[in-house]
Amino acid sequence: MSYLNQKTINSPINLKGIGLHSGKKVNLCIKPAQPNTGIIFKRVDLNLNNIVFPNFNNVTNTSLNTTISNEYGVRVSTIEHLMGALFGLGIDNVLVEIDNEEVPILDGSAKEFIEKIISVGIKKETDAPIKIIKINKEIEYSENEKSISIKPSNLTLNIEFQLEYKNPIIGNQKNQVSVYEDDLKDIYNSRTFCLFEDIELIKKSGLAKGGSLENAIVVKDNQILNPEGLRNNKEFVNHKILDCIGDLYTSGYRIIGSVVCSRGGHYLTNKLLRKVFDNNENFSI
């Protein structure tokens, strides 16, 4: 299968679950779309102004998830794991129909999205080329001790990510992947996580109403509360890489560049993309 031709899926995929932050039940249907459509979210519970494009300029919230909104205030939140799955599998065009404001969290990773897409199969368009941008110069963004940068690379997208937690289980984890070349199974399978002591604060903020040990890793002091333990030994940093891949896809392009992130997240990735696209000399299409 040529990586240089646009792709969609062979047939619709139906998923249902609850929103991690809203706690609301949600149904999702991912449908094939024509070449050059891109990724489109459609709120089928609303009759008007219900199309939302997952573009970095439409990102309106980055607190514990990535939320996109349209000009009418219609939003879709927690898009990052689905976007990461679509990016990783090379899906360029789909319509995502959703009947609530948050993508279902499923098991807290991209595992089920990946499995469902692979089960229906990927359809290659014969003549529509994929949309690629090549980074031309190094761009950096930092706040306090957090930083992210992207610089030119040789025909691939590299992501190097470092976590620094005082918690002894999470600690200082670091990993690096080449998105177009490596086996990303561990990345897709890695679940979202939180510290036990942060749960009350998160819930007071009105978030994580749907959170449980079924869809998140919870770490308390030096133990993991999930009975099954970790899925891989770098699951914490690998989940951050998954989030980063999903957030980078709000560029609308396959990116050729090398990303280095320390202690970052949705907010930093969005700030980096805004900075990249702020100047046409930073990239070539």
Side-chain angles (χ1 to χ4, degrees):
M1 186 180 282
S2 168
Y3 205 84
L4 296 174
N5 295 97
Q6 290 184 28
K7 300 183 191 70
T8 186
I9 54 176
N10 279 323
S11 55
I13 294 165
N14 290 293
L15 289 149
K16 60 183 179 180
I18 61 162
L20 173 63
H21 296 301
S22 66
K24 294 174 181 172
K25 289 181 180 174
V26 56
N27 295 286
L28 187 85
C29 183
I30 308 169
K31 293 183 170 179
Q34 294 297 314
N36 299 314
T37 300
I39 312 299
I40 296 176
F41 284 84
K42 182 179 182 181
R43 286 279 302 273
V44 294
D45 56 319
L46 304 173
N47 293 323
L48 291 171
N49 310 318
N50 57 1
I51 299 293
V52 190
F53 295 100
N55 180 277
F56 64 91
N57 280 319
N58 295 339
V59 171
T60 50
N61 179 42
T62 52
S63 175
L64 301 180
N65 77 95
T66 295
T67 299
I68 48 170
S69 304
N70 66 16
E71 60 194 325
Y72 304 101
V74 173
R75 62 184 201 165
V76 182
S77 62
T78 318
I79 66 166
E80 58 271 13
H81 305 161
L82 173 55
M83 292 293 287
L86 294 171
F87 189 115
L89 291 177
I91 306 293
D92 302 277
N93 308 299
V94 286
L95 172 65
V96 182
E97 294 185 343
I98 184 168
D99 70 355
N100 216 316
E101 65 181 35
E102 187 175 16
V103 173
I105 191 63
L106 305 175
D107 71 349
S109 75
K111 182 173 180 279
E112 197 171 339
F113 293 125
I114 295 287
E115 288 170 354
K116 290 273 189 181
I117 292 167
I118 289 171
S119 73
V120 300
I122 296 170
K123 180 184 175 189
K124 182 180 75 176
E125 305 299 345
T126 48
D127 52 4
I130 63 171
K131 298 175 179 180
I132 302 172
I133 61 163
K134 192 166 186 276
I135 299 299
N136 293 335
K137 52 171 79 170
E138 185 164 10
I139 315 291
E140 297 174 283
Y141 183 84
S142 62
E143 276 194 20
N144 303 321
E145 295 163 351
K146 300 176 178 181
S147 66
I148 189 168
S149 66
I150 190 165
K151 64 182 182 182
S153 83
N154 191 12
L155 294 179
T156 189
L157 172 60
N158 292 314
I159 299 176
E160 180 186 294
F161 209 108
Q162 180 157 10
L163 276 185
E164 288 184 32
Y165 273 73
K166 289 185 176 129
N167 177 277
I169 295 274
I170 303 172
N172 294 1
Q173 273 197 355
K174 187 176 180 180
N175 201 9
Q176 181 175 346
V177 297
S178 175
V179 176
Y180 307 139
E181 289 153 17
D182 291 348
D183 180 352
L184 299 179
K185 186 178 178 184
D186 281 352
I187 306 295
Y188 298 142
N189 290 353
S190 293
R191 296 159 292 174
T192 193
F193 63 91
C194 70
L195 294 169
F196 181 77
E197 58 264 32
D198 291 343
I199 291 175
E200 200 173 326
L201 191 64
I202 293 168
K203 294 206 166 178
K204 273 185 182 167
S205 311
L207 298 171
K209 291 174 184 167
S212 72
L213 293 178
E214 304 288 308
N215 55 36
I217 305 166
V218 180
V219 181
K220 185 178 183 182
D221 302 327
N222 59 356
Q223 68 175 123
I224 290 159
L225 299 186
N226 307 63
E228 73 280 9
L230 295 178
R231 291 178 174 175
N232 58 76
N233 62 3
K234 288 188 175 177
E235 188 164 5
F236 303 109
V237 73
N238 283 343
H239 183 79
K240 288 288 192 181
I241 292 173
L242 170 64
D243 282 349
C244 186
I245 293 170
D247 289 337
L248 287 172
Y249 204 13
T250 62
S251 66
Y253 293 91
R254 306 253 164 264
I255 297 174
I256 294 174
S258 188
V259 176
V260 176
C261 188
S262 175
R263 304 174 71 169
H266 306 299
Y267 175 76
L268 247 62
T269 308
N270 184 254
K271 285 288 190 184
L272 180 71
L273 286 178
R274 287 172 187 262
K275 201 168 175 181
V276 167
F277 286 94
D278 198 39
N279 185 338
N280 288 343
E281 291 178 7
N282 293 337
F283 60 93
S284 45
I285 297 176

